[in-house]
Amino acid sequence: MRILFMGTPDFAVASLKRLVEDGHEICGVFTQPDRPKNRGHKLAFSPVKEYALAQGLSVYQPTKMRDGTALALVRELHPELIVVAAYGRILPEDILNTPPYGSINVHSSLLPKYRGAAPINWAILNGERETGVTIMYMAKELDAGDILHVLKTDIDPQEDAQALTARLAELGAQALSETVEQLRAGTAHRTVQDHSAYTYAPMLTKDMGVIDWTKPAGHIHNQVRGLIPWPCASTELGGATVKIFRTEVLGETGKAPGAVAAAGKAGIDVACGDGRLLRILELQPQGGRRMAAADYLRGHPLQVEA
């Protein structure tokens, strides 16, 4: 098929790569404008732009989607199908309705659950044991279009959002490949979402990272996993603020929430609000590198509460 692809981050690269490998004609690639790199003046390409240019594909970076210029460009490219994967821009209906096969989206949740900007993070934050990808038609309302295809996967109890994103990118590429073939063959089936069952996954905020040790150990464990790579869960240990990257839930304790119950080669055990311990396995001090908790303790000994 003749496809116009729209995407920006690493997650979207897997889908574009699969379309190329499947032999589809990519008539153009839309991606967000270049951004300053590391707070400097040098502009950085998006991962999708880097891959597209390496494949010799035509790249377009419209700054506005509703002034008519993007619509004119889409019409000029004559796509049979628009495929969107984490583009990060809201598309007006006149663009969505341009291709004869419509516009479809690669969404990283089991719709109607977790519509919105951060579905992978919120699935982990809420302790979900299963997630997946949904290929859907795009509609005026956010992530509310008819479903074409779903692939599911279990979430490992230790898996963080960064690792899960990488897995879902590949699963999304597989689901997309199967869906495009079904559309081409005329065998695709669309299912209306149960709009009464939807949940929302809003954008993450920096203040979500602060750990409240009065919460249950499992809640904090999910907070740590769900906020990687940004904003990361953080806490104060011995007067110093650190980011937490890996934890595990242990057994019961009688110590007060936030108390350090043990600190040694195995890690740093902190009491939580449900009377259980959470062991910190990896952390990062301010201005330092990510390291094992045992390595951190060599230079930052902690007082264990009796």
Side-chain angles (χ1 to χ4, degrees):
M1 296 183 73
R2 182 176 171 86
I3 296 173
L4 171 59
F5 184 86
M6 300 183 180
T8 300
D10 283 317
F11 176 85
V13 174
S15 288
L16 176 57
K17 185 172 183 286
R18 184 60 179 266
L19 292 175
V20 170
E21 291 173 350
D22 285 351
H24 297 291
E25 179 187 357
I26 309 301
C27 60
V29 174
F30 277 31
T31 191
Q32 289 212 36
D34 301 340
R35 307 291 188 193
K37 187 176 183 180
N38 298 328
R39 300 181 182 178
H41 298 292
K42 187 177 180 181
L43 296 179
F45 294 171
S46 74
V48 162
K49 181 176 179 178
E50 289 185 352
Y51 174 78
L53 291 177
Q55 296 297 311
L57 303 174
S58 298
V59 174
Y60 306 93
Q61 297 173 277
T63 56
K64 296 181 180 180
M65 303 305 294
R66 297 183 179 277
D67 64 356
T69 56
L71 175 61
L73 180 56
V74 171
R75 288 173 173 168
E76 184 180 317
L77 292 171
H78 297 293
E80 294 178 279
L81 175 72
I82 290 177
V83 172
V84 180
Y87 181 30
R89 306 292 291 273
I90 296 176
L91 301 179
E93 285 186 282
D94 51 8
I95 289 180
L96 297 179
N97 296 333
T98 295
Y101 284 89
S103 300
I104 63 174
N105 177 249
V106 183
H107 185 77
S108 50
S109 81
L110 301 176
L111 290 171
K113 210 166 192 180
Y114 299 119
R115 296 178 184 176
I120 298 172
N121 305 86
W122 282 101
I124 293 178
L125 288 168
N126 289 338
E128 300 287 357
R129 296 182 179 182
E130 182 183 64
T131 188
V133 292
T134 302
I135 309 298
M136 64 169 181
Y137 279 111
M138 299 187 71
K140 182 178 181 180
E141 187 179 347
L142 180 67
D143 299 332
D146 293 352
I147 293 171
L148 282 162
H149 195 26
V150 174
L151 291 180
K152 298 180 179 181
T153 185
D154 292 337
I155 302 176
D156 187 276
Q158 289 295 123
E159 193 168 25
D160 63 44
Q162 190 168 30
L164 183 56
T165 297
R167 282 208 303 118
L168 290 182
E170 296 300 326
L171 193 66
Q174 177 187 338
L176 174 63
S177 175
E178 294 169 0
T179 302
V180 173
E181 176 56 28
Q182 291 166 2
L183 288 170
R184 189 195 65 78
T187 59
H189 298 283
R190 57 195 300 165
T191 303
V192 177
Q193 290 190 41
D194 180 359
H195 300 295
S196 66
Y198 92 92
T199 58
Y200 183 54
M203 292 181 66
L204 304 178
T205 59
K206 193 172 184 180
D207 60 0
M208 291 174 61
V210 180
I211 292 176
D212 177 0
W213 292 103
T214 66
K215 299 290 187 181
H219 172 95
I220 300 172
H221 178 64
N222 294 338
Q223 179 184 11
V224 170
R225 297 188 302 131
L227 298 182
I228 293 174
W230 187 92
C232 292
S234 63
T235 192
E236 189 175 286
L237 291 175
T241 300
V242 297
K243 292 180 178 180
I244 310 299
F245 282 89
R246 195 161 64 90
T247 58
E248 64 177 344
V249 178
L250 303 180
E252 296 181 353
T253 179
K255 297 186 184 299
V260 176
K265 291 182 179 180
I268 302 167
D269 299 348
V270 183
C272 303
D274 60 347
R276 302 191 71 178
L277 291 168
L278 186 72
R279 175 167 289 168
I280 299 172
L281 299 170
E282 289 186 25
L283 52 76
Q284 181 179 8
Q286 286 185 325
R289 60 177 178 83
R290 178 174 170 175
M291 64 182 72
D295 294 335
Y296 176 78
L297 289 171
R298 292 192 182 98
H300 306 82
L302 292 176
Q303 182 176 350
V304 176
E305 297 195 21

